[in-house]
Amino acid sequence: MITKIKYSIIILLALASFTACQNDDNTVTANIDAMVAEPGDLLNQAFPLNKVRVEGEGLAGLKKITLDNKINISFNPNHNSDKAFIFTVPFDEKLGSRFGVQPITFVTATTSFTKNIEILQPVPTITKTIPAVATPGFPLEIEGTWFYNVSSVTLGGKALTYTLKSSSSIVIGLPANAVSGSELVITTPGGAAKKIIEFATLILVSDFDGNGIRKDWFSYGDVAAFNANSAGGPSGNYATFTWSGSTSNGYNGSSAGGGSSFLSATNTDAKKAYIDIDISANVTGAQFTIQLNTINNDNYAYNFKVTDVNWTTKTISIADFKDNYGFGSNTAATLNVSKINEIKIGVIQDDTPNPSVIKFDNIRIRYQ
């Protein structure tokens, strides 16, 4: 009896072993043969946002895809078969996305396996500049895409200083002698983005150091003192204008006279024209007036109070100037700025401290 039981157990074990062997023969081992990125058919490589087609066997029942051990990749299960599935390569700085070779793990209904994929850095692009027209000597913001691992920024082949604000924004420092029409190049490991930079027209009216198209300044009216060669300031000599309360004339000012227009005949739009001037004063509340005269004897002015006695650069849109010496109701928005040929600077005698000492330097007209 014992012998019969022993033989029965041996037969059952043999049958079980045979059945297991049959099942092993029918089981397909999950495997990935290739990861092909579209378009371009990159093998085991892909750019961010590429669709990748995974080909192999035993791939049905895909449950999860994880890139670089930390980024979960979404996929459409309806595009999953035993032979293939498709996913899109994500790229999110906040999640830690990076370029280079990294692991990618696939979890199916029966198993999981890890392969290596290389995420390639795209070529950067430049979409726009802020402002649209640059000014030599002023910062310029460059907006674009894929500003990662920037190795250099050049203009006309010369290296520029720059600040990387984000992967889509770089602020560059433009040299004062930058030439309009120069090529800007931003270089990364992915390639180079290029753009021709057009510069604003910049007219130096006077820097009180002997440069500019108006050099010989004089004062008039109720002025107590005027010195166009005060030492120091932001960049050498500057002009100092003092009003001490006199109202005998009812007006005051300083000028270097008229003459030919500052801008060319093609520079007509007041909304594209600006006055840049470095200013200071002896006391907050000192009230500047800047007057523009034209070859047609029109005048527009811009009046403002000093809020900081330290030197600062004041930028004024010419479209914001007003007629009637700055007190009128009509702005200069429709003024043909190519007609402007004189700049006058003084103190508004009402509602200003006594004395008011205003200081100014580096007067420029900019058209962009």
Side-chain angles (χ1 to χ4, degrees), residues 281-309:
N282 66 317
V283 62
T284 58
Q287 195 162 194
F288 265 81
T289 180
I290 301 178
Q291 181 180 324
L292 306 177
N293 289 351
T294 74
I295 57 176
N296 298 327
N297 295 318
D298 298 317
N299 81 78
Y300 290 85
Y302 185 88
N303 307 323
F304 63 94
K305 289 183 178 181
V306 172
T307 58
D308 187 343
V309 298

PDB file of all heavy atoms in Angstrom, residues 281-309:
ATOM      1  N   ALA A 281      19.039 117.691  -7.156  1.00  0.00           N
ATOM      2  CA  ALA A 281      18.627 118.999  -6.643  1.00  0.00           C
ATOM      3  C   ALA A 281      19.111 119.154  -5.205  1.00  0.00           C
ATOM      4  O   ALA A 281      19.573 118.194  -4.584  1.00  0.00           O
ATOM      5  CB  ALA A 281      17.111 119.158  -6.717  1.00  0.00           C
ATOM      6  N   ASN A 282      18.981 120.370  -4.690  1.00  0.00           N
ATOM      7  CA  ASN A 282      19.411 120.618  -3.312  1.00  0.00           C
ATOM      8  C   ASN A 282      18.382 120.150  -2.300  1.00  0.00           C
ATOM      9  O   ASN A 282      18.700 119.941  -1.124  1.00  0.00           O
ATOM     10  CB  ASN A 282      19.680 122.109  -3.108  1.00  0.00           C
ATOM     11  CG  ASN A 282      18.417 122.953  -3.214  1.00  0.00           C
ATOM     12  OD1 ASN A 282      17.599 122.723  -4.107  1.00  0.00           O
ATOM     13  ND2 ASN A 282      18.252 123.935  -2.325  1.00  0.00           N
ATOM     14  N   VAL A 283      17.113 119.970  -2.739  1.00  0.00           N
ATOM     15  CA  VAL A 283      16.043 119.646  -1.806  1.00  0.00           C
ATOM     16  C   VAL A 283      14.915 118.954  -2.561  1.00  0.00           C
ATOM     17  O   VAL A 283      14.662 119.247  -3.743  1.00  0.00           O
ATOM     18  CB  VAL A 283      15.533 120.935  -1.119  1.00  0.00           C
ATOM     19  CG1 VAL A 283      14.948 121.902  -2.133  1.00  0.00           C
ATOM     20  CG2 VAL A 283      14.523 120.613  -0.032  1.00  0.00           C
ATOM     21  N   THR A 284      14.236 118.014  -1.896  1.00  0.00           N
ATOM     22  CA  THR A 284      13.067 117.412  -2.527  1.00  0.00           C
ATOM     23  C   THR A 284      11.979 118.471  -2.665  1.00  0.00           C
ATOM     24  O   THR A 284      11.843 119.369  -1.826  1.00  0.00           O
ATOM     25  CB  THR A 284      12.524 116.239  -1.691  1.00  0.00           C
ATOM     26  OG1 THR A 284      12.193 116.708  -0.391  1.00  0.00           O
ATOM     27  CG2 THR A 284      13.538 115.117  -1.592  1.00  0.00           C
ATOM     28  N   GLY A 285      11.230 118.391  -3.724  1.00  0.00           N
ATOM     29  CA  GLY A 285      10.199 119.387  -4.000  1.00  0.00           C
ATOM     30  C   GLY A 285      10.636 120.448  -4.983  1.00  0.00           C
ATOM     31  O   GLY A 285       9.790 121.200  -5.498  1.00  0.00           O
ATOM     32  N   ALA A 286      11.947 120.534  -5.244  1.00  0.00           N
ATOM     33  CA  ALA A 286      12.404 121.462  -6.277  1.00  0.00           C
ATOM     34  C   ALA A 286      11.746 121.071  -7.594  1.00  0.00           C
ATOM     35  O   ALA A 286      11.721 119.896  -7.962  1.00  0.00           O
ATOM     36  CB  ALA A 286      13.909 121.414  -6.397  1.00  0.00           C
ATOM     37  N   GLN A 287      11.216 122.075  -8.287  1.00  0.00           N
ATOM     38  CA  GLN A 287      10.369 121.777  -9.440  1.00  0.00           C
ATOM     39  C   GLN A 287      11.048 122.130 -10.770  1.00  0.00           C
ATOM     40  O   GLN A 287      11.301 123.290 -11.069  1.00  0.00           O
ATOM     41  CB  GLN A 287       9.030 122.506  -9.318  1.00  0.00           C
ATOM     42  CG  GLN A 287       7.994 121.969 -10.264  1.00  0.00           C
ATOM     43  CD  GLN A 287       6.574 122.353  -9.880  1.00  0.00           C
ATOM     44  OE1 GLN A 287       5.634 121.795 -10.381  1.00  0.00           O
ATOM     45  NE2 GLN A 287       6.408 123.323  -8.991  1.00  0.00           N
ATOM     46  N   PHE A 288      11.338 121.082 -11.528  1.00  0.00           N
ATOM     47  CA  PHE A 288      11.949 121.222 -12.854  1.00  0.00           C
ATOM     48  C   PHE A 288      10.890 121.579 -13.892  1.00  0.00           C
ATOM     49  O   PHE A 288       9.731 121.167 -13.792  1.00  0.00           O
ATOM     50  CB  PHE A 288      12.531 119.871 -13.293  1.00  0.00           C
ATOM     51  CG  PHE A 288      13.988 119.665 -12.999  1.00  0.00           C
ATOM     52  CD1 PHE A 288      14.403 119.281 -11.726  1.00  0.00           C
ATOM     53  CD2 PHE A 288      14.948 119.794 -13.997  1.00  0.00           C
ATOM     54  CE1 PHE A 288      15.735 119.024 -11.459  1.00  0.00           C
ATOM     55  CE2 PHE A 288      16.283 119.544 -13.734  1.00  0.00           C
ATOM     56  CZ  PHE A 288      16.687 119.163 -12.458  1.00  0.00           C
ATOM     57  N   THR A 289      11.319 122.298 -14.917  1.00  0.00           N
ATOM     58  CA  THR A 289      10.565 122.381 -16.156  1.00  0.00           C
ATOM     59  C   THR A 289      11.523 122.120 -17.314  1.00  0.00           C
ATOM     60  O   THR A 289      12.622 122.683 -17.358  1.00  0.00           O
ATOM     61  CB  THR A 289       9.861 123.737 -16.340  1.00  0.00           C
ATOM     62  OG1 THR A 289       9.154 123.720 -17.599  1.00  0.00           O
ATOM     63  CG2 THR A 289      10.841 124.894 -16.322  1.00  0.00           C
ATOM     64  N   ILE A 290      11.125 121.236 -18.207  1.00  0.00           N
ATOM     65  CA  ILE A 290      11.899 120.961 -19.423  1.00  0.00           C
ATOM     66  C   ILE A 290      11.019 121.347 -20.597  1.00  0.00           C
ATOM     67  O   ILE A 290       9.910 120.813 -20.760  1.00  0.00           O
ATOM     68  CB  ILE A 290      12.314 119.482 -19.514  1.00  0.00           C
ATOM     69  CG1 ILE A 290      13.166 119.093 -18.302  1.00  0.00           C
ATOM     70  CG2 ILE A 290      13.071 119.207 -20.811  1.00  0.00           C
ATOM     71  CD1 ILE A 290      13.571 117.629 -18.286  1.00  0.00           C
ATOM     72  N   GLN A 291      11.487 122.269 -21.403  1.00  0.00           N
ATOM     73  CA  GLN A 291      10.693 122.782 -22.516  1.00  0.00           C
ATOM     74  C   GLN A 291      11.331 122.396 -23.835  1.00  0.00           C
ATOM     75  O   GLN A 291      12.557 122.480 -24.000  1.00  0.00           O
ATOM     76  CB  GLN A 291      10.578 124.305 -22.430  1.00  0.00           C
ATOM     77  CG  GLN A 291       9.746 124.937 -23.551  1.00  0.00           C
ATOM     78  CD  GLN A 291       9.667 126.451 -23.420  1.00  0.00           C
ATOM     79  OE1 GLN A 291       9.597 126.978 -22.309  1.00  0.00           O
ATOM     80  NE2 GLN A 291       9.689 127.140 -24.554  1.00  0.00           N
ATOM     81  N   LEU A 292      10.500 121.988 -24.776  1.00  0.00           N
ATOM     82  CA  LEU A 292      10.941 121.662 -26.129  1.00  0.00           C
ATOM     83  C   LEU A 292      10.366 122.688 -27.094  1.00  0.00           C
ATOM     84  O   LEU A 292       9.154 122.931 -27.100  1.00  0.00           O
ATOM     85  CB  LEU A 292      10.451 120.257 -26.531  1.00  0.00           C
ATOM     86  CG  LEU A 292      10.801 119.106 -25.583  1.00  0.00           C
ATOM     87  CD1 LEU A 292      10.173 117.814 -26.089  1.00  0.00           C
ATOM     88  CD2 LEU A 292      12.305 118.954 -25.453  1.00  0.00           C
ATOM     89  N   ASN A 293      11.213 123.284 -27.916  1.00  0.00           N
ATOM     90  CA  ASN A 293      10.775 124.196 -28.963  1.00  0.00           C
ATOM     91  C   ASN A 293      10.987 123.547 -30.331  1.00  0.00           C
ATOM     92  O   ASN A 293      11.881 122.711 -30.497  1.00  0.00           O
ATOM     93  CB  ASN A 293      11.545 125.517 -28.908  1.00  0.00           C
ATOM     94  CG  ASN A 293      11.151 126.359 -27.702  1.00  0.00           C
ATOM     95  OD1 ASN A 293      10.191 126.046 -27.007  1.00  0.00           O
ATOM     96  ND2 ASN A 293      11.915 127.415 -27.454  1.00  0.00           N
ATOM     97  N   THR A 294      10.167 123.936 -31.266  1.00  0.00           N
ATOM     98  CA  THR A 294      10.290 123.383 -32.619  1.00  0.00           C
ATOM     99  C   THR A 294      10.686 124.474 -33.601  1.00  0.00           C
ATOM    100  O   THR A 294      10.623 125.670 -33.293  1.00  0.00           O
ATOM    101  CB  THR A 294       8.967 122.749 -33.095  1.00  0.00           C
ATOM    102  OG1 THR A 294       8.033 123.798 -33.417  1.00  0.00           O
ATOM    103  CG2 THR A 294       8.369 121.849 -32.015  1.00  0.00           C
ATOM    104  N   ILE A 295      11.051 124.050 -34.793  1.00  0.00           N
ATOM    105  CA  ILE A 295      11.423 125.009 -35.838  1.00  0.00           C
ATOM    106  C   ILE A 295      10.207 125.805 -36.297  1.00  0.00           C
ATOM    107  O   ILE A 295      10.348 126.822 -36.992  1.00  0.00           O
ATOM    108  CB  ILE A 295      12.093 124.307 -37.037  1.00  0.00           C
ATOM    109  CG1 ILE A 295      11.167 123.238 -37.598  1.00  0.00           C
ATOM    110  CG2 ILE A 295      13.429 123.711 -36.644  1.00  0.00           C
ATOM    111  CD1 ILE A 295      11.727 122.552 -38.851  1.00  0.00           C
ATOM    112  N   ASN A 296       9.000 125.350 -35.908  1.00  0.00           N
ATOM    113  CA  ASN A 296       7.774 126.079 -36.235  1.00  0.00           C
ATOM    114  C   ASN A 296       7.326 126.976 -35.078  1.00  0.00           C
ATOM    115  O   ASN A 296       6.207 127.487 -35.084  1.00  0.00           O
ATOM    116  CB  ASN A 296       6.641 125.093 -36.558  1.00  0.00           C
ATOM    117  CG  ASN A 296       6.957 124.242 -37.773  1.00  0.00           C
ATOM    118  OD1 ASN A 296       7.622 124.684 -38.708  1.00  0.00           O
ATOM    119  ND2 ASN A 296       6.483 122.998 -37.762  1.00  0.00           N
ATOM    120  N   ASN A 297       8.218 127.134 -34.085  1.00  0.00           N
ATOM    121  CA  ASN A 297       7.963 127.974 -32.909  1.00  0.00           C
ATOM    122  C   ASN A 297       6.844 127.437 -32.011  1.00  0.00           C
ATOM    123  O   ASN A 297       6.221 128.206 -31.273  1.00  0.00           O
ATOM    124  CB  ASN A 297       7.640 129.413 -33.343  1.00  0.00           C
ATOM    125  CG  ASN A 297       8.820 130.076 -34.020  1.00  0.00           C
ATOM    126  OD1 ASN A 297       9.966 129.920 -33.568  1.00  0.00           O
ATOM    127  ND2 ASN A 297       8.558 130.797 -35.106  1.00  0.00           N
ATOM    128  N   ASP A 298       6.598 126.140 -32.066  1.00  0.00           N
ATOM    129  CA  ASP A 298       5.702 125.518 -31.099  1.00  0.00           C
ATOM    130  C   ASP A 298       6.507 125.214 -29.838  1.00  0.00           C
ATOM    131  O   ASP A 298       7.720 125.003 -29.897  1.00  0.00           O
ATOM    132  CB  ASP A 298       5.133 124.201 -31.656  1.00  0.00           C
ATOM    133  CG  ASP A 298       4.314 124.422 -32.915  1.00  0.00           C
ATOM    134  OD1 ASP A 298       3.524 125.383 -32.939  1.00  0.00           O
ATOM    135  OD2 ASP A 298       4.472 123.641 -33.877  1.00  0.00           O
ATOM    136  N   ASN A 299       5.822 125.169 -28.700  1.00  0.00           N
ATOM    137  CA  ASN A 299       6.522 124.768 -27.479  1.00  0.00           C
ATOM    138  C   ASN A 299       5.669 123.803 -26.675  1.00  0.00           C
ATOM    139  O   ASN A 299       4.449 123.941 -26.592  1.00  0.00           O
ATOM    140  CB  ASN A 299       6.925 125.984 -26.639  1.00  0.00           C
ATOM    141  CG  ASN A 299       5.770 126.514 -25.802  1.00  0.00           C
ATOM    142  OD1 ASN A 299       5.434 125.964 -24.763  1.00  0.00           O
ATOM    143  ND2 ASN A 299       5.167 127.607 -26.286  1.00  0.00           N
ATOM    144  N   TYR A 300       6.331 122.831 -26.101  1.00  0.00           N
ATOM    145  CA  TYR A 300       5.714 121.863 -25.195  1.00  0.00           C
ATOM    146  C   TYR A 300       6.657 121.696 -24.010  1.00  0.00           C
ATOM    147  O   TYR A 300       7.877 121.767 -24.173  1.00  0.00           O
ATOM    148  CB  TYR A 300       5.501 120.511 -25.874  1.00  0.00           C
ATOM    149  CG  TYR A 300       4.424 120.521 -26.934  1.00  0.00           C
ATOM    150  CD1 TYR A 300       4.716 120.917 -28.239  1.00  0.00           C
ATOM    151  CD2 TYR A 300       3.121 120.135 -26.634  1.00  0.00           C
ATOM    152  CE1 TYR A 300       3.737 120.932 -29.217  1.00  0.00           C
ATOM    153  CE2 TYR A 300       2.129 120.146 -27.604  1.00  0.00           C
ATOM    154  CZ  TYR A 300       2.438 120.544 -28.890  1.00  0.00           C
ATOM    155  OH  TYR A 300       1.466 120.565 -29.850  1.00  0.00           O
ATOM    156  N   ALA A 301       6.108 121.489 -22.819  1.00  0.00           N
ATOM    157  CA  ALA A 301       6.952 121.367 -21.638  1.00  0.00           C
ATOM    158  C   ALA A 301       6.477 120.219 -20.754  1.00  0.00           C
ATOM    159  O   ALA A 301       5.318 119.791 -20.810  1.00  0.00           O
ATOM    160  CB  ALA A 301       6.979 122.672 -20.844  1.00  0.00           C
ATOM    161  N   TYR A 302       7.399 119.782 -19.922  1.00  0.00           N
ATOM    162  CA  TYR A 302       7.095 118.738 -18.938  1.00  0.00           C
ATOM    163  C   TYR A 302       7.617 119.236 -17.600  1.00  0.00           C
ATOM    164  O   TYR A 302       8.803 119.541 -17.447  1.00  0.00           O
ATOM    165  CB  TYR A 302       7.777 117.424 -19.320  1.00  0.00           C
ATOM    166  CG  TYR A 302       7.425 116.257 -18.437  1.00  0.00           C
ATOM    167  CD1 TYR A 302       6.324 115.457 -18.721  1.00  0.00           C
ATOM    168  CD2 TYR A 302       8.190 115.950 -17.316  1.00  0.00           C
ATOM    169  CE1 TYR A 302       5.985 114.383 -17.910  1.00  0.00           C
ATOM    170  CE2 TYR A 302       7.865 114.875 -16.495  1.00  0.00           C
ATOM    171  CZ  TYR A 302       6.757 114.096 -16.806  1.00  0.00           C
ATOM    172  OH  TYR A 302       6.433 113.033 -16.004  1.00  0.00           O
ATOM    173  N   ASN A 303       6.710 119.336 -16.608  1.00  0.00           N
ATOM    174  CA  ASN A 303       7.063 119.864 -15.296  1.00  0.00           C
ATOM    175  C   ASN A 303       6.974 118.754 -14.254  1.00  0.00           C
ATOM    176  O   ASN A 303       6.015 117.971 -14.250  1.00  0.00           O
ATOM    177  CB  ASN A 303       6.115 121.005 -14.912  1.00  0.00           C
ATOM    178  CG  ASN A 303       6.034 122.080 -15.988  1.00  0.00           C
ATOM    179  OD1 ASN A 303       7.038 122.398 -16.630  1.00  0.00           O
ATOM    180  ND2 ASN A 303       4.854 122.641 -16.199  1.00  0.00           N
ATOM    181  N   PHE A 304       7.940 118.675 -13.356  1.00  0.00           N
ATOM    182  CA  PHE A 304       7.918 117.636 -12.330  1.00  0.00           C
ATOM    183  C   PHE A 304       8.725 118.076 -11.110  1.00  0.00           C
ATOM    184  O   PHE A 304       9.629 118.901 -11.204  1.00  0.00           O
ATOM    185  CB  PHE A 304       8.479 116.316 -12.872  1.00  0.00           C
ATOM    186  CG  PHE A 304       9.926 116.370 -13.283  1.00  0.00           C
ATOM    187  CD1 PHE A 304      10.939 116.003 -12.407  1.00  0.00           C
ATOM    188  CD2 PHE A 304      10.290 116.801 -14.554  1.00  0.00           C
ATOM    189  CE1 PHE A 304      12.272 116.052 -12.778  1.00  0.00           C
ATOM    190  CE2 PHE A 304      11.617 116.862 -14.940  1.00  0.00           C
ATOM    191  CZ  PHE A 304      12.620 116.480 -14.061  1.00  0.00           C
ATOM    192  N   LYS A 305       8.396 117.477  -9.973  1.00  0.00           N
ATOM    193  CA  LYS A 305       9.109 117.771  -8.725  1.00  0.00           C
ATOM    194  C   LYS A 305      10.147 116.686  -8.442  1.00  0.00           C
ATOM    195  O   LYS A 305       9.914 115.504  -8.707  1.00  0.00           O
ATOM    196  CB  LYS A 305       8.125 117.852  -7.557  1.00  0.00           C
ATOM    197  CG  LYS A 305       7.231 119.075  -7.594  1.00  0.00           C
ATOM    198  CD  LYS A 305       6.336 119.128  -6.365  1.00  0.00           C
ATOM    199  CE  LYS A 305       5.476 120.381  -6.380  1.00  0.00           C
ATOM    200  NZ  LYS A 305       4.609 120.489  -5.177  1.00  0.00           N
ATOM    201  N   VAL A 306      11.253 117.095  -7.879  1.00  0.00           N
ATOM    202  CA  VAL A 306      12.307 116.156  -7.495  1.00  0.00           C
ATOM    203  C   VAL A 306      11.878 115.424  -6.227  1.00  0.00           C
ATOM    204  O   VAL A 306      11.443 116.048  -5.252  1.00  0.00           O
ATOM    205  CB  VAL A 306      13.640 116.899  -7.255  1.00  0.00           C
ATOM    206  CG1 VAL A 306      14.685 115.969  -6.667  1.00  0.00           C
ATOM    207  CG2 VAL A 306      14.134 117.503  -8.564  1.00  0.00           C
ATOM    208  N   THR A 307      11.972 114.113  -6.248  1.00  0.00           N
ATOM    209  CA  THR A 307      11.612 113.303  -5.076  1.00  0.00           C
ATOM    210  C   THR A 307      12.831 112.675  -4.406  1.00  0.00           C
ATOM    211  O   THR A 307      12.712 112.098  -3.328  1.00  0.00           O
ATOM    212  CB  THR A 307      10.632 112.186  -5.486  1.00  0.00           C
ATOM    213  OG1 THR A 307      11.235 111.374  -6.491  1.00  0.00           O
ATOM    214  CG2 THR A 307       9.334 112.779  -6.022  1.00  0.00           C
ATOM    215  N   ASP A 308      13.983 112.776  -5.054  1.00  0.00           N
ATOM    216  CA  ASP A 308      15.219 112.199  -4.508  1.00  0.00           C
ATOM    217  C   ASP A 308      16.363 113.119  -4.899  1.00  0.00           C
ATOM    218  O   ASP A 308      16.586 113.364  -6.090  1.00  0.00           O
ATOM    219  CB  ASP A 308      15.440 110.792  -5.074  1.00  0.00           C
ATOM    220  CG  ASP A 308      16.618 110.073  -4.421  1.00  0.00           C
ATOM    221  OD1 ASP A 308      17.453 110.737  -3.784  1.00  0.00           O
ATOM    222  OD2 ASP A 308      16.716 108.849  -4.570  1.00  0.00           O
ATOM    223  N   VAL A 309      17.077 113.669  -3.898  1.00  0.00           N
ATOM    224  CA  VAL A 309      18.131 114.635  -4.196  1.00  0.00           C
ATOM    225  C   VAL A 309      19.371 113.961  -4.793  1.00  0.00           C
ATOM    226  O   VAL A 309      20.259 114.653  -5.311  1.00  0.00           O
ATOM    227  CB  VAL A 309      18.529 115.434  -2.939  1.00  0.00           C
ATOM    228  CG1 VAL A 309      17.353 116.238  -2.424  1.00  0.00           C
ATOM    229  CG2 VAL A 309      19.077 114.511  -1.856  1.00  0.00           C
TER     230      VAL A 309
END
